Amino acid sequence: MVKFLLLALALGVSCAQHQNLEVSPSEVDGKWHSLYIAADNKSKVSEGGPLRVYVKHLECSDECQTFTIKFYTKVENVCQEHRVVGRKGKDGKYITDFSGQNYFHVVEKADDTMTFHNVNVDDSGKTNVILVVGKGESSSIEQKQRFEKTAEKYDIPKENIEHLVTTDTCNQ
Ligand SMILES: *[C@@H]1O[C@H](CO)[C@@H](O)[C@H](O)[C@H]1NC(C)=O
């Protein structure tokens, strides 16, 4: 019996670590701003990197079976607007094309922030990316610390965390 409980506990903990949070349109729809981004391949999210995304607006529909993201990227300092639609797959992750294939989901949510994990697959391979977006245009020390914990969870070095607020010059 004790063994069984320990097993249940262990499973519970491992699920909690990589949970797939359900979100509803009322939590998602609206304006958002990228606060921090990190990837195991840092050059993907550094300045000029293809996955350095400045989120502007999120929307989900059909009970969040689809998830629409409006964002900018900067190529040679020129802002380019993008709109991608993720469709929920069987495993609960959203699938969309952008700079390869992407499999993303919400891993944390709070009143004013939402954190995503994305797996990007392109010609150079697989990249793990985490991104936190906020309702406000500034970020706090506490949000940064929480994001560092999330990075740790996904084996992304702390040094790979990029602050996006200061370089967000698109659509001001
Ligand atoms: C890291 O990203 C850069 C930029 O996209 C790419 O050229 C490189 O091949 C990637 N490295 C690895 C190990 O995936």
Side-chain angles (χ1 to χ4, degrees), residues 41 43-44 50 122 124-125 127:
N41 179 354
S43 63
K44 294 268 188 211
D122 68 7
S124 65
T127 309

Side-chain angles (χ1 to χ4, degrees), residues 21 28 33 58-59 64 71 78 98 109 120 142 163-164:
L21 287 182
V28 170
H33 306 274
L58 301 175
E59 195 176 311
C64 286
F71 62 97
V78 179
F98 179 76
K109 58 184 181 181
N120 171 268
E142 195 235 326
H163 188 204
L164 293 180

